[in-house]
Amino acid sequence: MTKKLINSSDSCVDEALCGLVRGSGGLSLLKGHRVVIRSDLNSLKGKVALLSGGGSGHEPAHGGYVGAGMLSAAVAGGVFASPPPASILAAILSLHNAGTSGVLLIVKNYTGDRLNFGLAAEQARNRGVAADMVIVAEDCAFERPSKAGRRGLCGTIFIHKIAGALAEEGCSLDQMVLKVTEVLKEIGTLGVSLSPCSVPGCLPSFDLPPGDMELGLGIHGEPGIKRSKIASADEVVRTMIDHMTNRDSQSHLPLKSGDSVVVCVNNLGALSSLEMAVVTQAAINSLESRGMVVARVMCGSFMTSLEMAGVSISLMKANQETLRLFDAQTSAPFWPNLSTTCVSGRGYVIESEATRPQLQDDKTSEGPLSPVMHNVLVRVCSTLLEKQEELNSLDRAAGDGDCGNTHSQAAKAIREWLQDHTVPACPGNLLSVLAGLVQEKMGGSSGAVGFYTCIALCFPPKTDRQTDIFSLYGGADTGDRTMKAAEGAESTRGLTAKAGRASYIAVERVNLPDPGAVAVAAIFKAVLESLEGQK
């Protein structure tokens, strides 16, 4: 079973709710129920209260969206299980007793949620409570939805936000239902998964072979519409948006060129922030390529599926009124601090004032040695690219496993430069060019060392400035096993790391040659072999 950092599968929901509330000064728990409720109930007097909820495992939904300007309370069920009618009714009555003018229930379109929230609403009305319910069903997966209809997914939080802003402005219950119902028609969501998730104490919710992804699955691991091999982020996002806007589908979101949209890129649980940012960039590009205006962007974990590796994209067609409500302030602890500036049409790249390395391009400097050095560089680049995985493997033993990738970046940068530039005849000029390329493209400590190595070769032979630079900025001395090995790469096998990432690894685990030293040795070998071959 999947490892989870919990105390027990039986108590994890209650402990999670307690952790949420104790860490948020504006939230409280309703005694005897899994209900997160605003601490300032007095401020709700005369206003419509908003209640939502559903199964746990989708954190921060729904308790994380309780606060002024969003939900008044949220009811939690067990993991992926609808909350019981008794707890929903208790939440409604608590809000009613606070003097609210009515209670609006915002419910995702799942049979259990509709049934339990609906029963509680009926019981509340029988007690004289003005209660109404809207169903969120914005899933764009199925071209021909079944009788159950479209599922409610992450687009639900758009409704939490719009309705919350309306409630703060004193909108009546009937008016709010009408306005929210119109907004619901303009929302669509589609998800894609790279791995399953598992309920605490249970096996994974479904099987997904390595290298496969599933399009259109639900937030509880319900089957999607298509399985395929994992593709690039650009391709995946393009496929998702194509499907969401396909007019042949009954579940499509009607969007056209010129429409303004709010985008929510939602982490289903286990994607890294780096991946999420890549997907966000892909979503913006894909929408703009269709002529749409991206007005606002949300990127993060908003409605998860435990530890599922995947992402959903929610789109909301937006006009000025929708954006005004969307931008309204809220104290809900998990609503992000979003910019109110339109994303599309904004210049987002500025010129750097920092002095950049000058990549010399003096064609008059070409000389007899230019072809020789060109061939040397080609050989060095090929060698580094061939050794990429070997260097990564060595680096994984004592570092972050990217040494090969780092040197590969340098090799690719030099190859690209060679396509459009003449290699200068003067070795000093060439080294200056390489120093600039390595410093700009390579990154990591290898990039800095490579840069200073190139510069060091241009210094007078008697200077020790290069060693001073290594020690001053890198904190390393000869023998410290961090890219400096006087007797060669192999001798680093027995060195104890005193600097760099390897210094944090237990000595007995570091028994391979230093990957940086191996890379340097490979470079010198490639230079020698290339020169010998050109004699």
Side-chain angles (χ1 to χ4, degrees):
M1 296 183 184
T2 306
K3 296 179 181 178
K4 296 187 186 295
L5 195 59
I6 58 175
N7 294 314
S8 78
S9 56
D10 293 332
S11 65
C12 62
V13 169
D14 296 295
E15 291 177 359
L17 291 174
C18 188
L20 168 66
V21 169
R22 295 195 69 180
S24 304
L27 306 181
S28 298
L29 282 174
L30 197 58
K31 188 174 181 179
H33 300 280
R34 289 170 170 169
V35 175
V36 176
I37 195 165
R38 285 175 59 174
S39 300
D40 59 342
L41 287 178
N42 291 335
S43 65
L44 294 175
K45 190 173 183 178
K47 298 179 181 178
V48 175
L50 304 180
L51 177 65
S52 190
S56 297
H58 305 303
E59 290 73 23
H62 299 80
Y65 304 124
V66 175
M70 288 193 76
L71 299 179
S72 309
V75 192
V79 176
F80 292 174
S82 301
S87 290
I88 301 171
L89 179 61
I92 295 174
L93 294 178
S94 294
L95 296 171
H96 173 70
N97 293 336
T100 60
S101 62
V103 181
L104 178 62
L105 282 62
I106 301 172
V107 182
K108 298 189 300 301
N109 189 31
Y110 290 97
T111 303
D113 287 352
R114 292 185 62 155
L115 180 61
N116 292 349
F117 276 87
L119 288 173
E122 289 296 329
Q123 295 177 59
R125 292 189 194 104
N126 290 337
R127 300 190 185 199
V129 179
D132 209 335
M133 184 164 70
V134 293
I135 305 296
V136 182
E138 92 289 11
D139 180 21
C140 293
F142 298 99
E143 296 182 0
R144 303 289 183 271
S146 65
K147 182 179 179 181
R150 300 164 66 185
R151 299 168 294 195
L153 303 173
C154 188
T156 306
I157 67 171
F158 287 151
I159 300 302
H160 293 166
K161 187 65 183 64
I162 299 299
L166 289 170
E168 285 295 312
E169 294 178 356
C171 185
S172 71
L173 180 59
D174 291 340
Q175 289 176 325
M176 191 180 299
V177 170
L178 288 174
K179 291 182 179 182
V180 166
T181 301
E182 288 302 308
V183 174
L184 279 169
K185 299 174 184 177
E186 311 291 351
I187 299 176
T189 298
L190 189 68
V192 64
S193 176
L194 312 182
S195 77
C197 61
S198 61
V199 173
C202 300
L203 294 171
S205 53
F206 61 93
D207 293 322
L208 194 58
D212 282 7
M213 65 180 188
E214 183 156 355
L215 183 70
L217 78 171
I219 53 175
H220 310 101
E222 310 99 314
I225 55 172
K226 178 184 177 182
R227 284 193 177 186
S228 60
K229 294 299 179 183
I230 295 176
S232 69
D234 286 343
E235 293 175 271
V236 171
V237 170
R238 191 182 309 116
T239 298
M240 294 173 74
I241 296 179
D242 282 345
H243 188 88
M244 294 174 70
T245 57
N246 179 11
R247 295 185 180 276
D248 294 331
S249 169
Q250 294 179 2
S251 298
H252 81 281
L253 178 63
L255 290 176
K256 63 182 184 301
S257 179
D259 283 344
S260 179
V261 294
V262 176
V263 183
C264 177
V265 181
N266 172 55
N267 192 341
L268 288 174
L271 288 192
S272 65
S273 296
L274 184 147
E275 292 167 282
M276 289 296 295
V278 170
V279 172
T280 300
Q281 162 80 340
I284 294 171
N285 288 343
S286 183
L287 291 165
E288 289 182 337
S289 70
R290 291 166 166 80
M292 297 169 200
V293 177
V294 179
R296 305 286 188 273
V297 174
M298 302 170 65
C299 173
S301 298
F302 303 107
M303 186 174 287
T304 62
S305 297
L306 293 170
E307 81 282 18
M308 183 183 291
V311 65
S312 67
I313 296 177
S314 296
L315 304 175
M316 178 173 65
K317 198 172 173 180
N319 53 34
Q320 288 303 311
E321 174 64 5
T322 306
L323 290 177
R324 184 185 70 81
L325 296 170
F326 183 82
D327 291 339
Q329 289 188 341
T330 176
S331 65
F334 279 87
W335 186 261
N337 182 24
L338 296 173
S339 168
T340 57
T341 301
C342 184
V343 174
S344 293
R346 182 181 72 88
Y348 60 92
V349 177
I350 61 175
E351 291 294 331
S352 171
E353 296 181 2
T355 302
R356 299 178 62 188
Q358 297 299 311
L359 306 186
Q360 297 184 18
D361 188 16
D362 184 4
K363 295 185 178 181
T364 61
S365 65
E366 183 179 3
L369 289 179
S370 294
V372 174
M373 290 191 287
H374 182 280
N375 293 337
V376 168
L377 290 176
V378 170
R379 182 65 172 267
V380 168
C381 291
S382 298
T383 298
L384 291 177
L385 291 170
E386 290 169 2
K387 286 188 168 290
Q388 180 174 353
E389 183 49 41
E390 177 187 340
L391 295 175
N392 282 341
S393 179
L394 289 172
D395 198 26
R396 280 192 287 270
D400 49 8
D402 69 343
C403 183
N405 294 346
T406 302
H407 285 83
S408 175
Q409 290 170 2
K412 290 175 182 177
I414 295 172
R415 269 188 171 181
E416 183 179 342
W417 182 84
L418 286 173
Q419 293 177 1
D420 302 315
H421 297 80
T422 300
V423 177
C426 174
N429 288 348
L430 174 59
L431 290 171
S432 180
V433 170
L434 296 180
L437 286 170
V438 169
Q439 184 187 31
E440 182 177 354
K441 301 292 186 181
M442 195 170 180
S445 60
S446 299
V449 172
F451 166 68
Y452 286 118
T453 299
C454 290
I455 294 300
L457 292 174
C458 298
F459 285 156
K462 294 183 180 181
T463 182
D464 290 326
R465 175 62 176 159
Q466 61 269 36
T467 303
D468 294 339
I469 291 174
F470 286 143
S471 299
L472 176 62
Y473 294 110
D477 294 307
T478 302
D480 278 354
R481 190 196 164 108
T482 172
M483 296 249 336
K484 295 181 67 180
E487 299 300 323
E490 184 59 29
S491 67
T492 64
R493 183 187 296 270
L495 291 178
T496 298
K498 299 177 183 177
R501 288 192 177 98
S503 63
Y504 303 105
I505 309 298
V507 174
E508 60 271 16
R509 291 178 54 193
V510 185
N511 53 15
L512 296 172
D514 179 80
V518 171
V520 171
I523 291 172
F524 282 122
K525 182 180 180 183
V527 171
L528 179 61
E529 290 176 347
S530 178
L531 292 175
E532 288 179 339
Q534 296 182 70
K535 287 181 179 179

